[in-house]
Structures are given as C-alpha cells and as structure tokens.
Amino acid sequence: KAGVTQTPRYLIKTRGQQVTLSCSPISGHRSVSWYQQTPGQGLQFLFEYFSETQRNKGNFPGRFSGRQFSNSRSEMNVSTLELGDSALYLCASSLVPPPETQYFGPGTRLLVL
Amino acid sequence: QQQVKQSPQSLIVQKGGISIINCAYENTAFDYFPWYQQFPGKGPALLIAIRPDVSEKKEGRFTISFNKSAKQFSLHIMDSQPGDSATYFCAARGTRDSNYQLIWGAGTKLIIKP
C-alpha cells in the first residue's frame, strides 16, 4: 500500500501570497489531520477532517483553512502568508477517528520570504 | 488549555545505555498515550502506545511506563543504538468530550553516541 503523499514537498513564497498544500491519505483511510511543525514549537495541530467534515480545529488564525474531498484527499490553504508561517506542514491519515495510529506523510516544507 | 509537557528537550546517551524521556499531563481525561519517532526528513511514525488501564508496555527495547496517579508516562529505550537517534514525541488523546483530540508534547531530540 502506498503511504501518505504530500505535494509539493518544498515551496517558497513571499509574504502576502497564499498557498495550497495537498495530501493524499493511505487508500481506505478516511480521516486526515494537518499539523504545523517548527523547531521550537514541536507539532501544532491545525485541523482534522473526516467524511468531508471538519471534526477538530486547533488554535490557528482564520488564514489557515482546509477541506476534504469525497475521495478523502485533503487540501490546506494559507492566505496572506507571514514570515512566521515558515514551517514543515505534515499531513496524517488514519482509518477513522478517533485517531489511534496516525500515518504521517513526509511533509511540505514551506519557506516564506 | 490541555497540555502535555515533555522533557528533556534534548538528550545524549552513550551506545548501550538507557534513554529515558518523560511526559506529564494536566488534570484532564485522556484515554490513549502514543509515542512517535521522527527521523530527519521524514514524518513521525508510531513507535509504541499504552492505555491508562496498564502500567507498563514493552515492545522489544522500547518500554512505556505509565503512572496514572502522578499523571506521568515515560519512554525507556534499553540498549540504545545509534539508529535510535531521532526526535521522539509523546501524545495524549482526549476523550469524547474533547472530540478525541490528540495533544502533543514538544518533542525530545535524542542522540546516541557510538
């Protein structure tokens, strides 16, 4: 079985731009979670989707949004990028919530200049 | 806000030694405590997990010790090897009231010296 795939793997943007990241979960997995990882902050939970519905949301501003499609693929969008948004964005999938074993993708490294 | 406090932030252990990473949680209900291991350039991967009705779980060289009354749990790596060098995250899953949200520790960077 293919693992969780994330595209793109690397991205460079400038302040004020917006970005969309994509995540394809493991086949059959219907729950997708997104995390932001920075060296000083560890893993910060962004949101979780199941059956195209947002189940949980972390403490991030409204500039961060996401969605899930009927095939369980998910996207997250960050609008009006700030320098502090530079981070590794990780997607994790699991069969169904509540999450036990989460399978993480390799992440998308976003650099905001 | 619910928190899981993880320590130490970084740890250097000699090959063959015991690595110990600790996590503590606050006064709230959690029902599942996983540990994840992350190598550079990779996403985290589940290493071992425990439920609160068990005080210890062992898988090979990795052991979780769980102290429910103290609200603490720890990861022990016996006979630590250079290949164990990675960042380790503890987490705690909330119950139905919190929609089973996972709360993560800040991570511990472990270096095993040959």
Side-chain angles (χ1 to χ4, degrees):
Chain A
K1 245 183 192 179
V4 177
T5 57
Q6 294 187 243
T7 56
R9 291 293 311 277
Y10 304 93
L11 207 49
I12 299 175
K13 292 284 187 180
T14 55
R15 276 186 304 172
Q17 287 187 308
Q18 78 164 17
V19 67
T20 298
L21 311 181
S22 181
C23 171
S24 293
I26 291 172
S27 177
H29 285 195
R30 295 166 59 196
S31 176
V32 173
S33 297
W34 286 90
Y35 295 89
Q36 182 193 66
Q37 185 174 24
T38 55
Q41 299 293 321
L43 282 165
Q44 300 294 312
F45 171 73
L46 281 155
F47 22 67
E48 178 195 0
Y49 287 89
F50 174 68
S51 292
E52 302 177 66
T53 301
Q54 190 179 85
R55 286 189 73 248
N56 276 319
K57 189 177 189 307
N59 294 324
F60 278 81
R63 300 185 296 109
F64 291 82
S65 63
R67 59 178 175 168
Q68 186 181 34
F69 302 95
S70 58
N71 62 358
S72 296
R73 190 177 69 85
S74 178
E75 288 181 347
M76 66 162 282
N77 183 78
V78 188
S79 62
T80 319
L81 283 166
E82 300 177 358
L83 296 179
D85 297 334
S86 295
L88 180 68
Y89 289 88
L90 291 161
C91 167
S93 77
S94 58
L95 276 169
V96 289
E100 288 208 354
T101 304
Q102 288 193 310
Y103 296 86
F104 283 83
T108 293
R109 175 84 52 191
L110 172 65
L111 177 62
V112 182
L113 301 175
Chain B
Q1 182 170 348
Q2 301 176 9
Q3 279 191 344
V4 174
K5 295 182 180 178
Q6 183 172 346
S7 62
Q9 190 173 5
S10 62
L11 181 62
I12 300 175
V13 175
Q14 289 292 131
K15 178 183 174 183
I18 302 173
S19 304
I20 301 174
I21 304 170
N22 300 299
C23 285
Y25 58 97
E26 297 177 345
N27 188 23
T28 192
F30 292 119
D31 68 352
Y32 180 72
F33 300 86
W35 285 88
Y36 280 77
Q37 179 189 55
Q38 184 179 29
F39 293 106
K42 305 282 188 183
L46 180 67
L47 182 63
I48 186 173
I50 197 168
R51 297 187 189 279
D53 55 346
V54 175
S55 61
E56 185 175 282
K57 183 173 182 181
K58 185 176 181 179
E59 289 184 2
R61 296 184 294 108
F62 300 89
T63 300
I64 300 178
S65 297
F66 186 81
N67 186 331
K68 191 172 183 178
S69 60
K71 295 186 178 64
Q72 294 175 347
F73 57 110
S74 58
L75 175 69
H76 296 236
I77 306 175
M78 311 299 288
D79 187 25
S80 299
Q81 299 297 312
D84 298 330
S85 297
T87 300
Y88 292 81
F89 293 94
C90 65
R93 188 182 72 182
T95 57
R96 187 173 182 170
D97 289 347
S98 66
N99 220 8
Y100 301 105
Q101 187 169 336
L102 268 177
I103 309 297
W104 293 80
T108 297
K109 185 172 183 179
L110 174 65
I111 297 172
I112 306 300
K113 280 194 163 184

